Amino acid sequence: MTLFLALIIVAIVLGIIGATADGLLFLLVIGILLLVADLIYIALRMRRSAHRRPVR
């Protein structure tokens, strides 16, 4: 969970810098790609953990 939160923070920071700084649009793109990759990562992790719960 720590990795997920750290990647979210990095994606937001890169997005803000990329959107505000002149000539650094590539940072915005990297931030968006990082956010999408992070959301896919957490979705797969939650899906995998849902299958491992024991049935009582």
Side-chain angles (χ1 to χ4, degrees), residues 1-36:
M1 191 65 164
T2 305
L3 177 64
F4 172 73
L5 293 175
L7 288 176
I8 289 289
I9 291 170
V10 169
I12 291 171
V13 169
L14 286 176
I16 290 171
I17 292 171
T20 58
D22 189 35
L24 295 178
L25 186 61
F26 68 94
L27 286 179
L28 177 61
V29 174
I30 292 171
I32 291 170
L33 291 175
L34 185 60
L35 180 65
V36 169

Side-chain angles (χ1 to χ4, degrees), residues 32-47:
I32 291 170
L33 291 175
L34 185 60
L35 180 65
V36 169
D38 194 32
L39 292 176
I40 291 171
Y41 168 76
I42 198 69
L44 291 176
R45 185 172 172 170
M46 286 177 31
R47 182 177 176 192

